[in-house]
Amino acid sequence: MPEKRSEQIPESTPEEMSHRKELTALLGTSLADIWESLCAWIEETYDMDRIWGKGGKAWTYEYKYRRGGKTLCALYARENAMGFMVIFGKQEREKFEGMREDFSEKIQKTYDEAETYHDGKWMMFEPVEPEMFEDFRKLLAIKRRGNRKGNRQTAAGR
């Protein structure tokens, strides 16, 4: 069933440019730059649907990367803060556990403290520096192999 509250926005439209201006005003220039860099890397590596939505009670906006009914990750924005969420199912948690020493202490701590629900372990990161990107890349590689031609990425543990 399609999500009623979301809209898909192709890249480089005037509407998306409006979202970028709103994000910069909401996040501030530094976090907006981190948001843009993270989105650019995801879009270079993965061919995914991009869906804007309301951020619920805690966030103003949500920006999901989905394909085939499964979410790769989601970014969240509110005043002067951004979030990056990844949800790991059982197999993904097993892969992470097998390579946890490859991740920074900050990532490991967030993983350990994240709540596990019936549909997986929900990990929310609040990046404030691009140095976390390498860990984010490894987390996403556990979830799904890159599927853009010319940017194939092997999934961790495969």
Side-chain angles (χ1 to χ4, degrees):
M1 179 180 342
E3 296 181 36
K4 292 184 261 183
R5 63 181 174 79
S6 303
E7 62 180 285
Q8 293 186 9
I9 301 172
E11 58 186 23
S12 301
T13 66
E15 200 168 353
E16 183 167 278
M17 294 304 292
S18 172
H19 278 284
R20 287 181 184 160
K21 288 177 186 174
E22 287 179 43
L23 278 175
T24 301
L26 185 66
L27 296 172
T29 304
S30 177
L31 286 177
D33 289 346
I34 290 172
W35 176 290
E36 289 290 327
S37 296
L38 186 55
C39 288
W41 177 81
I42 293 168
E43 291 163 19
E44 287 170 13
T45 308
Y46 297 94
D47 181 15
M48 308 292 285
D49 295 327
R50 298 181 307 265
I51 303 166
W52 281 102
K54 299 220 180 278
K57 293 178 183 176
W59 300 92
T60 305
Y61 294 114
E62 171 186 68
Y63 191 54
K64 280 187 187 177
Y65 287 92
R66 289 178 61 93
R67 185 170 183 133
K70 295 190 177 192
T71 299
L72 175 70
C73 64
L75 281 75
Y76 295 87
R78 66 176 175 232
E79 190 172 351
N80 297 314
M82 72 172 280
F84 175 75
M85 180 176 280
V86 179
I87 301 170
F88 276 178
K90 183 179 179 183
Q91 290 179 342
E92 296 154 341
R93 291 192 309 269
E94 289 171 1
K95 286 180 185 178
F96 179 89
E97 290 295 338
M99 58 186 289
R100 72 178 288 128
E101 297 304 318
D102 294 342
F103 291 91
S104 68
E105 287 181 24
K106 192 172 195 172
I107 298 294
Q108 290 180 45
K109 183 176 191 283
T110 300
Y111 176 87
D112 292 340
E113 294 174 354
E115 197 71 38
T116 302
Y117 299 99
H118 72 281
D119 59 347
K121 183 178 268 289
W122 292 47
M123 296 173 289
M124 176 64 84
F125 304 93
E126 292 193 31
V128 293
E129 58 212 14
E131 289 75 22
M132 296 180 78
F133 284 12
E134 187 56 36
D135 280 333
F136 293 165
R137 289 179 179 125
K138 289 186 284 189
L139 290 171
L140 294 180
I142 289 172
K143 283 200 61 88
R144 185 182 184 112
R145 180 175 58 238
N147 61 354
R148 287 252 184 222
K149 190 174 182 177
N151 284 315
R152 297 273 178 199
Q153 169 185 351
T154 57
R158 288 192 189 179

